[in-house]
């Protein structure tokens, strides 16, 4: 088994609609090591985050973080994601209460 450390996304700003921010590589699994959400605005904002299985959609069944408040100018370290596995073509999907206020950064390892 080969393990490759890498960023899963490049500091993407969350939108108000649920969107995909990472798709697991085919024929492998991705393990989250670190995840942060930074509020780059002058106002508080909240976010939801889902770990969605392949061919699935964001729902209460795969909701990992719900309505998490990130105060203005602060960074939230999402420790509840550490060690979570994204299987073959699964996705990380998220949304925010306000557009272009929260920046999502996730890194980890891909194992094949």
């Amino acid at each position: 088994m080969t393990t490759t450390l890498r960023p899963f996304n490049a500091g993407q700003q969350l939108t108000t609609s649920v969107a995909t921010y990472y798709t697991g590589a085919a024929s492998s699994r991705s393990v989250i090591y670190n995840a942060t959400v930074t509020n780059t605005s002058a106002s508080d904002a909240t976010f939801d985050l889902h770990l969605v299985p392949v061919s699935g959609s964001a729902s209460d069944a795969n909701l990992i973080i719900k309505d998490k408040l990130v105060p203005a100018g602060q960074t939230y370290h999402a420790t509840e994601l550490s060690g979570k596995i994204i299987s073959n073509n699964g996705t990380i999907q998220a949304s925010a209460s306000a557009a272009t206020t929260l920046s999502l950064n996730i890194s980890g390892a891909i194992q094949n």
Side-chain angles (χ1 to χ4, degrees):
M1 178 182 294
T2 303
T3 300
T4 306
L5 300 175
R6 61 166 282 197
F8 288 168
N9 72 336
Q12 295 168 294
Q13 292 279 310
L14 300 181
T15 61
T16 56
S17 299
V18 175
T20 298
Y21 293 92
Y22 175 74
T23 301
S27 302
S28 67
R29 67 183 196 160
S30 302
V31 181
I32 299 171
Y33 286 170
N34 186 52
T36 60
V37 179
T38 301
N39 187 333
T40 58
S41 76
S43 301
D44 294 351
T46 63
F47 72 97
D48 294 342
L49 189 138
H50 303 260
L51 295 182
V52 182
V54 64
S55 301
S57 59
S59 69
D60 286 345
N62 52 46
L63 182 63
I64 303 297
I65 301 172
K66 180 172 176 57
D67 293 330
K68 181 63 183 173
L69 176 68
V70 183
Q74 299 294 309
T75 297
Y76 173 68
H77 295 273
T79 56
E80 61 269 59
L81 293 176
S82 183
K84 295 287 189 198
I85 296 171
I86 303 158
S87 296
N88 178 20
N89 292 321
T91 59
I92 297 173
Q93 298 182 26
S95 63
S97 60
T100 67
T101 59
L102 299 176
S103 179
L104 175 67
N105 285 279
I106 300 175
S107 61
I110 297 175
Q111 299 173 335
N112 15 5

